[in-house]
Amino acid sequence: MQFLKLLARNQLALMGGIVLSLVVIVSVLTPVLPLLPPDVTNTADRFMPPFSEGHLLGTDHLGRDLLSRLLWGTRLSLAVGFAAAVAAAVIGSAIGIVAGYFGGRTDNVIMRLVDMLMAFPYILLALAIVAALGPGLLNALIAVAAVNVPFFARNIRGITVGIAHKEFVDAAKLAGMGHGRILVSEILPNVVPVIVIAMSTTIGWMILETAGLSFLGLGSQPPQADLGSMLGEARSALITNPHTSVVPGIMIFLIVMSINLLGDGVRDALDPRLRSGALTRPRPATMVARKDAPPNGPGRGVLDVVDLETQFHVGKRVYRAVNQVNLTIAPGECLGVIGESGSGKSVTALSVMGLVASPPGVITGGAVFHGGQDLVGARYETLRKLRGDKVAYIFQDPLATLHPLMKVGDQLAEAISVHHKVGRTELRKRAIELLRSVRIPNPESRADSYPHEMSGGMRQRVAIAMALANEPEVIIADEPTTALDVTVQAQVLSLLDDLRRERGVAILFITHDFGVVAQLCDRVAVMYAGRIVEEGTTDEILDRPAHPYTKRLMECVPELGEGRRELAAIPGLPPAVDKLPPGCAFAPRCHKAREECQAAPVELKTDGTRGVRCLFPEADVVEVTA
Ligand code: ADP
Ligand code: MG
């Protein structure tokens, strides 16, 4: 259903679909239409022009009715082209799947054979096959299918190689499934979309090739009409009676054009990455559409997030991922942002530098001040100059953020040279210094390692070194230790802590782990469903959590040496951000919730440093000043 909707949104594809459906319907109905017989000659009526009495499209050089021949010919051409496409797709995909799945010698032998087929010029090969088998439509079909098999085999093999080593295939092997079953139930469903896409984009091409063979007299044999043979027979009368060529020519054009447009549409609509983001390319910076005038700057700290609102607009739905978030980071300070998965932490962090993918992301309100200017709505060039230079990011998975084919030293050098003109030897020196500063042993030789040659902890150090490359004022770290084990996590945290004390760099540290917050952060903001529900200094919040959510979140953390204690998981799940309740979003999961909580939005009561968004807080921490 969604697929059809997406397809319909693409107007060209829709047009192609309509034209193609009409052609297909007409050619299916051809046998029952009141047409003249297509093959009966009548030399008295040769070359009658279109719109003649009894012959709507005129007649050809033998006086045969062109309309009738056109419809019968279209029927044949479509059938042959489609059959060739299906045959090529089935055989080619089967070869590709087997080669890609078994790999090794099987793959080698099969693919070299396929390469041999590919080494012949395309049309020559088809001609050779028809010459060997003898002319005739069926042989033309076989030839066209055969020359297209390598295309499918190559494509599908490539996809299968990627899938054959995925975890779910290993899991199927562990579960004791045989090769046959794995091929059919695990691999095939994953490559079918690719096969469909490849088919939809090549079917038009195959109709053309079949027509080409018929045109040369190697396909359909007289008197049988297909579009190619009609063109071939009309060739001698091209100048004197052009309508005999124009009629089949237009039909071929319509068919191939509509199939290609529809095929492109199918490809776009089947690609899941395009589903949420309409059919457009992502922009270099997040779209900004502020309803109200932006807040005034310049802000107090090195980075100020003021009333930030970021949403995702997907179709008619609005996901309110970040609502009215305020954060201030002073130079050299570490501010923690904590919350369950899905609470809007990453989107907040990415909004700062306009890194939220657009579409579907839109910043609908607020401002982000840095160095006296508002980054929301700043020109792309301004953002680009700041990204990685004054404001750097560290992400959760360093293997995904490092370039797999580049030595880490070169990647560090690149991070510097994007923003500063520095000579080659100097770049290398700085890269090694950076590696040393994040305490990588033997930085001189490590600079020549590839990311896959390093451990997870080491890779994350490289990512940190990269963030430090241009001596940024702010580092935004989005769960940088979540993928690491506890000892490495502790090392990375103490490294970050040292760096901030030595260099005075401010850190916005995102995490879901209170233990990490306690170790590193000066202040904490707790997020829930896109809002800040509590903020204060780390000690204050750890000692006296005020929001029931914060308190419950802390009760989920096991403590060593505290003896056995029941861990209190928070019941329920965070709300979906496209259907936020009018009142407190945590109320449905809160043991203290009363009716008032759900009725109206709850304000953040704050005295500037300590704040809580709750009507019935666990502790009275904020003097309420009206
Ligand atoms: P986290 O706190 O775990 O980092 P995120 O900031 O990544 O959470 O996500 C916040 C919310 O935004 C989530 O509820 C998520 O469902 C929603 N969201 C993120 N990306 C998209 C998207 N492309 N389309 C729709 N919703 C999204
Ligand atoms: Mg996240």
Side-chain angles (χ1 to χ4, degrees):
M1 228 24 249
Q2 201 191 2
F3 165 74
L4 287 181
K5 256 195 227 151
L6 263 182
L7 195 60
R9 207 187 300 167
N10 184 342
Q11 289 186 350
L12 282 176
L14 188 65
M15 239 161 59
I18 292 174
V19 172
L20 188 65
S21 318
L22 285 179
V23 172
V24 169
I25 289 173
V26 169
S27 59
V28 166
L29 292 181
T30 299
V32 298
L33 292 179
L35 293 169
L36 295 170
D39 300 334
V40 172
T41 59
N42 176 4
T43 33
D45 289 342
R46 297 176 67 214
F47 291 131
M48 281 172 70
F51 308 112
S52 310
E53 177 84 44
H55 301 285
L56 191 56
L57 293 180
T59 56
D60 69 358
H61 63 294
L62 294 176
R64 297 175 291 197
D65 181 51
L66 266 183
L67 178 64
S68 168
R69 283 184 76 71
L70 179 75
L71 295 189
W72 282 100
T74 302
R75 188 177 150 90
L76 200 59
S77 286
L78 274 182
V80 172
F82 189 73
V86 170
V90 169
I91 299 171
S93 306
I95 294 176
I97 288 178
V98 169
Y101 176 73
F102 289 104
R105 184 171 297 170
T106 321
D107 183 30
N108 243 325
V109 171
I110 294 182
M111 290 329 281
R112 293 303 79 77
L113 288 174
V114 167
D115 286 346
M116 271 165 60
L117 268 185
M118 280 187 118
F120 287 98
Y122 210 65
I123 202 77
L124 269 190
L125 182 61
L127 285 176
I129 295 175
V130 179
L133 298 177
L137 205 49
L138 186 65
N139 293 343
L141 190 160
I142 293 173
V144 170
V147 295
N148 280 291
V149 161
F151 168 77
F152 282 96
R154 277 233 155 267
N155 260 342
I156 301 304
R157 174 192 170 268
I159 306 287
T160 311
V161 167
I163 295 172
H165 300 288
K166 287 255 164 81
E167 286 76 2
F168 69 91
V169 177
D170 291 341
K173 281 183 193 155
L174 282 179
M177 281 194 205
H179 289 312
R181 226 167 121 209
I182 293 180
L183 281 177
V184 173
S185 68
E186 310 287 323
I187 307 271
L188 191 61
N190 283 290
V191 295
V192 160
V194 185
I195 300 176
V196 171
I197 289 166
M199 251 182 85
S200 65
T201 46
T202 48
I203 213 171
W205 183 230
M206 296 202 207
I207 290 178
L208 275 184
E209 284 164 9
T210 325
L213 289 177
S214 288
F215 178 82
L216 296 175
L218 298 169
S220 81
Q221 298 300 305
Q224 191 183 40
D226 81 344
L227 293 175
S229 64
M230 283 177 77
L231 269 180
E233 289 167 359
R235 193 173 35 165
S236 51
L238 184 61
I239 306 294
T240 49
N241 290 288
H243 72 275
T244 48
S245 326
V246 169
V247 166
I250 287 180
M251 184 54 97
I252 291 187
F253 172 78
L254 279 182
I255 292 177
V256 174
M257 205 56 196
S258 61
I259 287 181
N260 286 352
L261 288 178
L262 183 66
D264 282 356
V266 168
R267 188 193 51 211
D268 288 352
L270 275 181
D271 191 331
R273 282 165 302 177
L274 298 172
R275 281 222 181 122
S276 59
L279 293 170
T280 37
R281 306 265 164 275
R283 300 165 180 233
T286 310
M287 223 158 71
V288 177
R290 286 187 280 207
K291 298 172 299 244
D292 308 318
N296 286 326
R300 290 174 290 159
V302 59
L303 189 74
D304 285 84
V305 175
V306 185
D307 294 338
L308 180 73
E309 254 184 48
T310 306
Q311 309 182 333
F312 294 94
H313 294 180
V314 182
K316 287 210 177 61
R317 290 211 184 155
V318 174
Y319 294 84
R320 299 192 342 241
V322 177
N323 299 307
Q324 299 280 324
V325 165
N326 285 283
L327 298 169
T328 295
I329 312 174
E333 186 183 36
C334 177
L335 171 66
V337 174
I338 189 166
E340 275 170 292
S341 168
S343 51
K345 309 179 298 287
S346 298
V347 176
T348 307
L350 293 172
S351 300
V352 169
M353 278 284 125
L355 290 171
V356 179
S358 259
V362 187
I363 297 179
T364 49
V368 176
F369 295 108
H370 169 80
Q373 62 177 336
D374 181 5
L375 300 182
V376 174
R379 288 184 29 244
Y380 165 64
E381 201 48 34
T382 315
L383 288 176
R384 195 189 66 77
K385 285 207 180 100
L386 288 173
R387 287 175 184 172
D389 190 25
K390 293 278 178 268
V391 182
Y393 280 85
I394 307 172
F395 292 103
Q396 175 176 341
D397 182 1
L399 196 56
T401 44
L402 294 174
H403 192 310
L405 303 178
M406 241 171 121
K407 293 173 183 165
V408 295
D410 295 342
Q411 298 196 46
L412 285 169
E414 191 186 39
I416 300 171
S417 63
V418 167
H419 292 289
H420 303 278
K421 274 208 156 48
V422 184
R424 250 165 169 274
T425 39
E426 175 67 17
L427 272 179
R428 167 119 190 138
K429 222 176 85 197
R430 282 213 217 164
I432 291 172
E433 259 168 44
L434 280 170
L435 288 178
R436 187 172 292 124
S437 72
V438 292
R439 307 208 198 103
I440 287 196
N442 305 325
E444 286 83 1
S445 60
R446 270 305 179 180
D448 291 323
S449 299
Y450 289 95
H452 69 267
E453 295 169 331
M454 303 183 130
S455 68
M458 245 197 262
R459 282 198 291 263
Q460 195 56 292
R461 280 161 199 258
V462 172
I464 295 173
M466 229 159 154
L468 292 172
N470 297 305
E471 317 226 316
E473 291 168 10
V474 188
I475 292 182
I476 298 179
D478 191 348
E479 313 218 20
T481 58
T482 305
L484 308 175
D485 62 56
V486 270
T487 44
V488 181
Q489 167 172 315
Q491 291 169 7
V492 168
L493 287 181
S494 81
L495 172 67
L496 278 174
D497 203 33
D498 291 351
L499 288 173
R500 139 176 111 94
R501 286 181 209 290
E502 286 162 18
R503 305 187 179 210
V505 38
I507 302 181
L508 177 64
F509 195 94
I510 294 173
T511 178
H512 58 257
D513 185 344
F514 261 111
V516 172
V517 166
Q519 215 173 331
L520 186 66
C521 299
D522 304 314
R523 285 190 304 120
V524 190
V526 183
M527 273 189 91
Y528 187 77
R531 289 179 192 278
I532 292 185
V533 294
E534 177 164 11
E535 62 186 5
T537 62
T538 308
D539 295 341
E540 274 267 347
I541 291 203
L542 290 180
D543 285 350
R544 283 203 306 159
H547 199 287
Y549 177 59
T550 316
K551 186 151 191 222
R552 303 295 290 272
L553 210 54
M554 279 160 54
E555 281 165 3
C556 298
V557 182
E559 273 173 70
L560 287 181
E562 286 275 298
R564 271 172 186 271
R565 171 168 71 91
E566 185 118 358
L567 286 183
I570 311 179
L573 288 173
V577 289
D578 57 333
K579 295 186 206 81
L580 286 181
C584 171
F586 186 61
R589 301 168 72 188
C590 181
H591 63 290
K592 298 184 81 176
R594 298 190 216 158
E595 247 170 56
E596 303 97 288
C597 298
Q598 312 220 14
V602 181
E603 296 300 316
L604 184 76
K605 278 181 238 143
T606 176
D607 58 9
T609 50
R610 189 84 170 96
V612 57
R613 190 190 293 275
C614 185
L615 295 179
F616 310 103
E618 301 273 351
D620 265 332
V621 288
V622 187
E623 296 297 320
V624 185
T625 43

